[in-house]
Amino acid sequence: MAVTMTTAAADRVRSFLANRGKGLGLRLGIKTTGCSGLAYVLEFVDELNEDDELYAIDDVNIIIDGKSLIHLQGVELDFVKEGLNEGFKFTNPNAKGECGCGESFNV
């Protein structure tokens, strides 16, 4: 499987989709940016694109486009709360390094 998701992440995505009132699922992708080269992108999906792969995980649809899939094989998506901060955390076995601020990674 290309991606896994913790229960906390699945619960959070379901909550976002319910509050939004519509949507097929959540897109997990990458974009070129930052000092290390790549950054994760999360966005709602209302329609699938031709090159999208759909993964149903814990009743949540995760959609990954074809060009991002190679960099996201084996990624685990988690949702963590640390003090007043909360957000999605990515554990990516393909990442060889990260920038100092943690905003981008390289493979």
Side-chain angles (χ1 to χ4, degrees):
M1 177 171 285
V3 64
T4 58
M5 186 172 19
T6 66
T7 302
D11 290 346
R12 190 62 171 178
V13 172
R14 272 194 295 276
S15 172
F16 281 143
L17 288 170
N19 287 338
R20 187 171 183 253
K22 65 177 183 174
L24 179 63
L26 184 73
R27 178 177 306 283
L28 173 57
I30 57 165
K31 67 179 180 176
T32 304
T33 189
C35 35
S36 287
L38 301 171
Y40 299 105
V41 175
L42 293 174
E43 60 188 9
F44 295 113
V45 174
D46 294 325
E47 295 179 17
L48 291 177
N49 296 327
E50 222 175 86
D51 68 336
D52 284 341
E53 297 282 335
L54 187 139
Y55 300 91
I57 304 168
D58 204 10
D59 294 327
V60 173
N61 289 327
I62 299 294
I63 296 96
I64 303 175
D65 65 272
K67 73 176 187 177
S68 296
L69 190 58
I70 191 167
H71 300 296
L72 298 175
Q73 286 287 350
V75 163
E76 179 186 64
L77 182 61
D78 192 8
F79 185 79
V80 295
K81 293 182 180 185
E82 295 173 353
L84 297 175
N85 298 318
E86 61 181 35
F88 288 101
K89 176 183 173 188
F90 303 89
T91 304
N92 187 344
N94 304 302
K96 302 296 183 219
E98 291 183 348
C99 67
C101 65
E103 291 295 319
S104 62
F105 68 99
N106 60 43
V107 291

